[in-house]
Amino acid sequence: MTGPSTPQGGGGIASGGEGSPGRREGCVAHDRGSQEAGRSAAPDRHGSRPSAPGGTGRWLPWRAATEEALYGAQGFYRRPEGPAGHFRTSVHASALYAGAVARLLCRVDEALGRPRELGFVDMGAGRGELGAGVLAALPADVAARTRAYAVEIADRPAGLDDRVEWRAEPPERVRGLLFANEWLDNVPVDVVEVDAAGTARLVLVRADGRERLGEPVGGEAAAWLERWWPTAGEEGLRAEIGLPRDRAWAAAVAGVERGLAVAVDYAHRADARPPFGTLTGFREGRQTAPVPDGSRDITAHVALDACALPGARLLTQRDALRALGVTAGRPPLSLAATDPTAYVRALAAAGEAAELTAPGGLGDFGWLIQPVGIPHPLGDGDTENATEYGTEDATEDGTEDATEHGTEHGTEHDETCDGKQGGQYDGKRDGA
């Protein structure tokens, strides 16, 4: 992470790296969009939440409190055990995930005309597992041209592939793929709640989790709420102001000179915002109250539709991974008779694919796909349920001229990527 001002998670750039909602192992409730997920406790008649006797500390807006709790000197993402002691993400569920990202990188490589240097940026890289897995899954000729960056605030872990460059800040002028797996959900946001008069007010919190209502929301934050998450003036309704995430994503995309930027996270859209928000915590593999004391991850779902820039596409992880060749189909029983070992491997892979694409679980993640000067690498017909954003602007940002460099990413080069599913690597966030 680059520090509290531009969190990077996984922590890394604000945890995106990979720490977020329902990906946590051991969580019974994967739907953080449920009505009570964002509430630390029922409010008392004064508008604040109860806490343990003797609660002390400064009253801070949730955004400031979360930044300190996650990325401060004693923050969660600086703890010695790392996020691995608390949860896992798609990256850790299966090497199939890194293999799919490697195939996506191959498509970007084709769209760029196979440049001499191909960039791969893992935002909020955690312990660098995704970058290492992608390099292991790439064909040798592509891997030889790939420069992989892991963007993370924590120190470089021992034993990480030497080809992965460890950075606290993302590189500039990247030509390739920037991939933010569960990064944006850990970019801290302010929480608001509607008071008895129908006014949306900032929710203030202490380090022990006690809350009270603060000042009315105004300025750009109020404008964002009105546009993206109107609360209708009903007492008790809550929302999370996603403006810092919109800006963080725009800054990340700005670092891509040409290629693709992808954000993957638990998300919601404007027509289905959760009425009480999604703020929650995770510790030791279990969902907990979001207490900003540095002992747990604090996260909230992302309004990816608000983050989207012109020309973006938003779809589910299920659809994205299927478009990249990850399917949960069972291998034919005849294979068990001719090659039992291959059958067992194929059956295991099918089970892992099922987890990655499962409805109600990892398959419901949102993928925000943002081309920069190239066509959509998943093609026009791969995703039935994709939502386009600002497609009328697609040719104005250079997308059209990418065809001059061979953007038909067809199957030939993709098939070489399909031949490898990625190497083995230690799980980064295996929940206890």
Side-chain angles (χ1 to χ4, degrees):
M1 158 164 193
T2 59
S5 60
T6 51
Q8 278 160 84
I13 272 188
S15 184
E18 272 133 343
S20 195
R23 60 205 170 205
R24 279 52 169 185
E25 173 101 344
C27 298
V28 176
H30 286 284
D31 179 13
R32 290 195 335 190
S34 63
Q35 291 188 355
E36 294 304 316
R39 316 195 72 166
S40 55
D44 63 21
R45 58 192 176 93
H46 301 293
S48 62
R49 273 72 182 168
S51 65
T56 60
R58 296 177 298 159
W59 291 105
L60 295 173
W62 264 106
R63 182 184 177 191
T66 300
E67 285 192 357
E68 180 63 23
L70 296 183
Y71 310 116
Q74 305 299 319
F76 175 81
Y77 284 116
R78 298 185 186 277
R79 292 168 64 92
E81 77 274 17
H86 300 271
F87 47 76
R88 68 173 188 160
T89 73
S90 296
V91 175
H92 316 109
S94 172
L96 294 175
Y97 193 78
V101 176
R103 287 192 290 279
L104 181 59
L105 181 59
C106 286
R107 295 189 183 188
V108 173
D109 183 41
E110 285 289 334
L112 293 172
R114 303 191 184 190
R116 183 166 15 178
E117 180 177 293
L118 178 66
F120 176 71
V121 182
D122 179 13
M123 294 290 287
R127 295 298 180 265
E129 297 89 344
L130 181 59
V134 166
L135 287 173
L138 289 170
D141 67 307
V142 181
R145 291 185 287 107
T146 297
R147 186 171 182 180
Y149 304 90
V151 183
E152 176 60 64
I153 61 167
D155 294 335
R156 181 188 182 95
L160 180 64
D161 191 320
D162 291 338
R163 295 174 293 174
V164 178
E165 182 177 333
W166 198 260
R167 298 173 61 104
E169 299 280 353
E172 299 178 352
R173 302 179 65 83
V174 170
R175 287 187 168 232
L177 173 61
L178 179 144
F179 201 86
N181 186 58
E182 300 193 46
W183 167 52
L184 286 173
D185 73 297
N186 285 128
V187 173
V189 293
D190 279 319
V191 178
V192 302
E193 182 172 317
V194 179
D195 67 12
T199 301
R201 294 178 175 273
L202 284 176
V203 178
L204 307 181
V205 64
R206 282 178 169 168
D208 61 3
R210 182 181 177 87
E211 291 182 338
R212 76 177 186 191
L213 298 186
E215 296 298 315
V217 179
E220 291 179 313
W224 189 94
L225 282 176
E226 183 178 1
R227 168 65 180 87
W228 293 108
W229 199 332
T231 53
E234 182 180 337
E235 183 180 5
L237 294 186
R238 287 166 68 115
E240 294 130 12
I241 301 173
L243 190 59
R245 293 168 174 178
D246 298 356
R247 291 171 172 165
W249 180 241
V253 174
V256 179
E257 183 177 80
R258 196 155 175 263
L260 187 71
V262 177
V264 181
D265 248 304
Y266 263 111
H268 44 65
R269 302 196 192 191
D271 60 353
R273 302 287 190 225
F276 299 105
T278 62
L279 188 72
T280 193
F282 286 90
R283 181 172 62 185
E284 297 178 355
R286 296 184 181 278
Q287 189 170 10
T288 69
V291 178
D293 60 0
S295 69
R296 68 204 69 196
D297 185 29
I298 297 174
T299 177
H301 291 203
V302 182
L304 282 180
D305 49 354
C307 295
L309 300 171
R313 172 176 292 175
L314 184 60
L315 59 154
T316 66
Q317 175 158 298
R318 180 166 50 258
D319 289 334
L321 289 184
R322 285 175 178 172
L324 292 168
V326 178
T327 61
R330 292 174 60 91
L333 287 174
S334 59
L335 182 62
T338 59
D339 191 340
T341 301
Y343 176 79
V344 171
R345 285 198 301 265
L347 195 62
E352 293 172 5
E355 181 182 2
L356 290 172
T357 60
L362 297 176
D364 287 347
F365 269 77
W367 279 48
L368 175 57
I369 299 176
Q370 187 78 56
V372 181
I374 66 171
H376 284 284
L378 295 186
D380 293 331
D382 289 327
T383 53
E384 296 179 1
N385 300 314
T387 299
E388 296 280 357
Y389 291 89
T391 53
E392 67 277 4
D393 300 323
T395 58
E396 296 179 7
D397 64 3
T399 301
E400 193 67 33
D401 64 11
T403 57
E404 299 176 7
H405 301 277
T407 57
E408 292 299 326
H409 18 268
T411 58
E412 180 178 354
H413 192 58
D414 239 15
E415 286 173 357
T416 64
C417 285
D418 290 341
K420 297 180 71 178
Q421 293 295 337
Q424 299 297 319
Y425 49 95
D426 294 335
K428 165 173 123 191
R429 294 187 176 178
D430 292 326

